[in-house]
Amino acid sequence: MRARVHITLKSGVLDPQGEAIRHALGALGFDGVERVRQGKVIELELADADPEAARARVREMCEKLLANTVIENYQIEIL
Amino acid sequence: MRARVHITLKSGVLDPQGEAIRHALGALGFDGVERVRQGKVIELELADADPEAARARVREMCEKLLANTVIENYQIEIL
Amino acid sequence: MRARVHITLKSGVLDPQGEAIRHALGALGFDGVERVRQGKVIELELADADPEAARARVREMCEKLLANTVIENYQIEIL
Amino acid sequence: MRARVHITLKSGVLDPQGEAIRHALGALGFDGVERVRQGKVIELELADADPEAARARVREMCEKLLANTVIENYQIEIL
């Protein structure tokens, strides 16, 4: 089973890398790019057979290791 | 319109951050994590009204700025 | 002239990537690794001739773009 | 003992994040920024007492986990 976790900065947290990309796109002539946010994506291959058990385990991985929940949100997809 | 771009290392390219996460999960007692890959996700808010035009523009952004296509793959979702 | 900027999370801010590395090193048999922090390093080649002017400009770049000063510290070296 | 490891892309490897920063700095009015490269910095607190032993161990950590030596260089400082 595969799981994908998106980890993004919470909306109030300044994102310098996203801002750098937004300015760079403008400088390269890409108009109308209103906002850019950069995050991480972590893809896991798991031995679990049960999607709900896998999701619960991945949630625990996020809380314990993968995300800094003070400044980051995470979102889990089981594929 | 929002677009989301996943940028991941090509499958043959070693991913030290993914490996570090895999070992760390094992050390924390999460069994059965067979493979971990870490990538980037870039979310863009675009003024485009046409999804196909937006996708073509984002593809151009990836080729020109966002990805290193020698070592990275990208995948575009229009939301 | 070259400048190097270190951007690191402030000491109170949890660093999941550093933690993942610490656990992974332990799992690989590297004992006695007490703490790991991961940050970014940005190297700039600048046309400036005057080191003090370069440093002041790089400081402004950090405040305006490179760092999120709420959660990150930066440190500038002129090489 | 503290060690600091700089991990940077080899000079022939395209660096999209560095390029994004360079363009963004130009768009913000910072002239004369000729080249930007972004890398990682990993700071380790080690129980080792001997600097040479510490350096050798950190080199092994780089080879085994921290760097992808096909595309990245690393540089170790013992502080």
Side-chain angles (χ1 to χ4, degrees):
Chain A
M1 188 161 297
R2 277 177 57 215
R4 189 149 67 170
V5 183
H6 284 99
I7 298 170
T8 46
L9 287 167
K10 290 190 178 181
S11 62
V13 179
L14 193 74
D15 172 7
Q17 272 172 331
E19 276 302 279
I21 292 169
R22 189 175 64 83
H23 283 290
L25 290 172
L28 290 171
F30 292 102
D31 299 326
V33 180
E34 285 153 11
R35 193 156 182 263
V36 181
R37 302 286 282 174
Q38 181 171 324
K40 288 184 283 188
V41 58
I42 298 172
E43 292 181 345
L44 304 132
E45 278 173 36
L46 302 167
D48 301 66
D50 171 14
E52 276 323 296
R55 182 182 296 277
R57 258 179 14 118
V58 175
R59 191 177 303 120
E60 210 186 328
M61 293 174 194
C62 289
E63 293 287 335
K64 284 204 182 149
L65 181 75
L66 302 178
N68 176 347
T69 56
V70 178
I71 54 171
E72 293 170 330
N73 289 321
Y74 62 86
Q75 195 191 336
I76 299 166
E77 280 173 276
I78 302 293
L79 303 171
Chain B
M1 188 161 295
R2 277 178 56 217
R4 188 149 66 169
V5 183
H6 285 98
I7 298 169
T8 46
L9 286 168
K10 290 190 176 179
S11 61
V13 180
L14 193 75
D15 173 8
Q17 272 171 331
E19 276 301 280
I21 292 169
R22 188 173 67 82
H23 284 288
L25 290 172
L28 290 170
F30 292 102
D31 298 326
V33 180
E34 286 153 10
R35 192 155 182 264
V36 181
R37 302 287 281 175
Q38 180 170 325
K40 289 183 282 188
V41 57
I42 298 172
E43 292 181 345
L44 303 131
E45 278 173 36
L46 301 167
D48 300 66
D50 172 14
E52 277 322 296
R55 182 181 296 276
R57 261 187 2 127
V58 174
R59 191 176 304 121
E60 210 186 327
M61 292 174 194
C62 289
E63 293 287 335
K64 284 203 180 148
L65 182 75
L66 302 178
N68 176 348
T69 56
V70 178
I71 54 171
E72 294 170 329
N73 288 320
Y74 62 86
Q75 196 191 335
I76 299 166
E77 280 173 275
I78 302 294
L79 305 170
Chain C
M1 188 161 294
R2 277 178 58 216
R4 190 150 64 170
V5 182
H6 285 99
I7 297 170
T8 46
L9 286 167
K10 290 190 176 180
S11 61
V13 180
L14 192 75
D15 173 8
Q17 272 171 333
E19 276 302 280
I21 292 169
R22 189 173 65 83
H23 284 289
L25 290 172
L28 291 170
F30 292 102
D31 299 326
V33 180
E34 286 153 11
R35 193 157 182 262
V36 181
R37 301 286 282 175
Q38 180 170 324
K40 287 182 284 188
V41 57
I42 298 171
E43 292 182 346
L44 304 130
E45 277 172 37
L46 302 167
D48 301 65
D50 171 14
E52 276 322 297
R55 182 181 295 277
R57 254 173 25 113
V58 174
R59 191 177 302 121
E60 209 185 327
M61 293 175 194
C62 289
E63 294 287 335
K64 284 204 181 148
L65 182 76
L66 303 178
N68 177 348
T69 56
V70 178
I71 54 171
E72 293 171 328
N73 289 321
Y74 61 87
Q75 194 190 337
I76 300 165
E77 281 174 274
I78 302 294
L79 306 170
Chain D
M1 188 160 297
R2 276 177 58 217
R4 189 149 66 168
V5 183
H6 284 100
I7 297 170
T8 46
L9 286 168
K10 290 191 176 179
S11 61
V13 180
L14 193 75
D15 172 7
Q17 272 171 332
E19 276 302 279
I21 292 169
R22 188 175 65 83
H23 284 289
L25 290 172
L28 290 170
F30 291 102
D31 298 328
V33 181
E34 286 153 11
R35 193 155 180 265
V36 181
R37 302 287 282 175
Q38 180 170 325
K40 288 183 284 189
V41 57
I42 298 171
E43 292 181 345
L44 303 131
E45 278 173 36
L46 302 168
D48 301 66
D50 171 14
E52 276 323 295
R55 182 182 296 275
R57 256 180 14 118
V58 174
R59 192 177 303 121
E60 209 185 328
M61 293 175 194
C62 289
E63 294 287 335
K64 284 204 181 149
L65 182 76
L66 303 178
N68 176 348
T69 55
V70 178
I71 54 170
E72 294 171 328
N73 289 320
Y74 62 85
Q75 196 191 336
I76 299 165
E77 281 173 273
I78 302 294
L79 304 171

